[in-house]
Amino acid sequence: EDILADIWASLLKIRRIGRNDNFFELGGHSLSATQLVSRVRAAAGVTLPLAEVFDRPQLADMAACIEALILAVVGTEAEADVDA
């Protein structure tokens, strides 16, 4: 959540982001949502689907989605290591 809040703060030019804040209510829009996806990919190494930004606009919900994506990638990599 902290890393995602930092990304939001940078994109939206806001100093404080709360876990219950809504990306779009804070001024986010479709262009900043695509920038968000790019920054999440750079920071976390996973691709957050753009649709998830719109479906989960609250920080806590979006962070949980990103965490699930990270865990899925880690699980896939672990399976690949076992198969090798």
Side-chain angles (χ1 to χ4, degrees):
E1 286 184 17
D2 291 337
I3 294 169
L4 185 58
D6 289 343
I7 293 170
W8 281 28
S10 173
L11 279 172
L12 302 174
K13 311 283 191 265
I14 296 174
R15 291 180 192 237
R16 295 189 63 116
I17 305 288
R19 68 184 323 261
N20 295 315
D21 283 339
N22 181 301
F23 183 75
F24 298 103
E25 289 175 2
L26 294 177
H29 48 76
S30 59
L31 179 57
S32 57
T34 60
Q35 293 170 331
L36 173 64
V37 168
S38 177
R39 291 187 189 191
V40 166
R41 185 180 315 110
V46 295
T47 300
L48 175 66
L50 185 58
E52 292 293 345
V53 176
F54 290 92
D55 290 344
R56 303 172 194 272
Q58 281 191 328
L59 181 84
D61 293 340
M62 193 180 297
C65 178
I66 293 167
E67 184 177 2
L69 291 168
I70 291 169
L71 291 174
V73 168
V74 169
T76 302
E77 290 173 356
E79 287 176 17
D81 289 343
V82 170
D83 291 341

